[in-house]
Amino acid sequence: MTEAETLLGARRLFVPANGLTFEVFEAGEGDRLALLLHGFPQHAVMWRGLVAPLVAMGYRVWVVNQRGYGATTRPAGRAHYAAEALTGDVVGLIDASGARDVTLVGHDWGGLIAWVVAIRRLRPLSALVAVNIPHPLCFKAALRGFRQRLRSYYVALFQIPVLPDLLLSAGRGWFTGLLIRRAAGRPSSIPPAAMDIYRANAAAPGAATAMLNWYRRAAPDLFRARDLDAPVETPVLIVWGTDDVALGEECLDGTERYVQNLRVARLPGVSHFSPEDAPEQMREILEDFLRGGISRE
């Protein structure tokens, strides 16, 4: 059993989808699927606090290492990280699962891609849970303000060739670990075993470049997209750690214009990495939402 399997309490599978092979950690069984999508610069193990609760609620849980991460296929070249390819991965995984009922749970980049799957109605969804990631058009609007532009400065730095790639991977992913710890709120929220996986993930050959290619190709794709104002009919829960260093609360402004059934749960004092910083609060909020009991704040 791998360290990731131990942390997640899930068995590792390799699932072919969308022309790639995905490293998937599975727990539970049945036709109700909870598909969990991580963000940058992390790994499937970020969801370790939610796997058992979701299984207890009757879900089959698939925790995925996304394109370029972990042991999932890592195609070379930024063209392979187009937004259409990333949403196609989610569609392919849903189809491969054979599930009749799908809930998408995404954090950071995983949440952004989940938003686009829901907006474009690429597959029927029972629910969308977006963790510390806003609707893409609300984020675009927030970027008109100085505060959010300042928070997002790193996106411009990631467009520089070679140097960010070397920084993220050097010293067995030392700088990647530093980024995560500084954004995590409580250093103790990420145990050494998980941090070792994050660092090894970034240090693997070609991995840092693959991670950065999400910013170099998919981000411009979504910024230019003209179809993201379609109404979202899927029930949406946004979980928001208010001490997010990358995204301000103004990114939530206007979300109700696009989402018909919106619920927002704010976590005061919690960081961008809220599934790790506040796992018990995350569990309670998610359980209430999926059982229909959470009220909009």
Side-chain angles (χ1 to χ4, degrees):
M1 180 174 287
T2 66
E3 189 66 38
E5 288 176 291
T6 300
L7 285 169
L8 288 164
R11 55 193 172 273
R12 185 167 72 154
L13 311 174
F14 288 94
V15 177
N18 199 27
L20 306 182
T21 300
F22 288 84
E23 184 181 26
V24 175
F25 298 89
E26 180 184 64
E29 56 187 16
D31 290 335
R32 297 175 67 213
L33 180 72
L35 182 58
L36 277 59
L37 307 172
H38 67 83
F40 171 89
Q42 292 191 291
H43 180 281
V45 297
M46 68 158 291
W47 296 114
R48 59 194 176 275
L50 292 182
V51 173
L54 284 165
V55 171
M57 283 190 285
Y59 286 91
R60 172 163 50 114
V61 180
W62 274 17
V63 187
V64 179
N65 268 326
Q66 299 207 76
R67 176 179 294 236
Y69 285 80
T72 292
T73 305
R74 187 175 297 126
R78 68 179 63 184
H80 293 286
Y81 297 84
E84 185 176 358
L86 303 179
T87 55
D89 292 346
V90 177
V91 168
L93 286 162
I94 289 172
D95 291 348
S97 76
R100 62 171 177 80
D101 180 289
V102 178
T103 291
L104 277 185
V105 183
H107 172 259
D108 189 79
W109 260 111
L112 185 56
I113 295 303
W115 268 114
V116 178
V117 170
I119 292 165
R120 292 178 173 166
R121 303 180 190 179
L122 300 181
R123 286 295 182 273
L125 301 175
S126 294
L128 167 64
V129 180
V131 184
N132 278 82
I133 193 72
H135 186 286
L137 292 186
C138 295
F139 175 63
K140 188 174 179 179
L143 275 174
R144 299 188 190 110
F146 175 76
R147 291 177 64 190
Q148 186 53 51
R149 285 202 305 271
L150 185 61
R151 290 189 184 98
S152 298
Y153 75 95
Y154 63 92
V155 178
L157 296 179
F158 287 168
Q159 306 305 316
I160 299 170
V162 182
L163 180 59
D165 315 49
L166 293 175
L167 281 174
L168 288 176
S169 59
R172 205 181 65 82
W174 178 86
F175 189 71
T176 297
L178 178 65
L179 286 179
I180 293 172
R181 286 215 181 275
R182 289 204 168 178
R186 297 179 301 109
S188 62
S189 65
I190 301 177
M195 183 57 73
D196 285 347
I197 290 172
Y198 294 149
R199 290 181 56 181
N201 185 38
T209 299
M211 295 176 185
L212 292 167
N213 279 340
W214 287 58
Y215 289 94
R216 292 165 176 166
R217 177 57 194 268
D221 286 351
L222 295 177
F223 203 81
R224 291 191 297 263
R226 294 292 179 264
D227 64 343
L228 300 181
D229 59 349
V232 177
E233 297 178 351
T234 301
V236 175
L237 167 67
I238 297 176
V239 183
W240 198 268
T242 62
D243 280 7
D244 193 321
V245 297
L247 298 162
E249 284 190 74
E250 64 269 23
C251 291
L252 299 178
D253 293 347
T255 310
E256 64 279 356
R257 292 201 300 267
Y258 306 109
V259 181
Q260 297 178 4
N261 185 350
L262 173 66
R263 302 174 186 185
V264 179
R266 291 176 172 83
L267 300 176
V270 173
S271 74
H272 178 71
F273 296 120
S274 44
E276 296 178 288
D277 198 10
E280 284 302 308
Q281 290 171 275
M282 277 288 307
R283 176 189 60 76
E284 292 173 4
I285 290 165
L286 192 59
E287 287 178 349
D288 285 346
F289 172 69
L290 294 177
R291 290 172 174 153
I294 191 171
S295 60
R296 182 175 170 186
E297 294 184 5

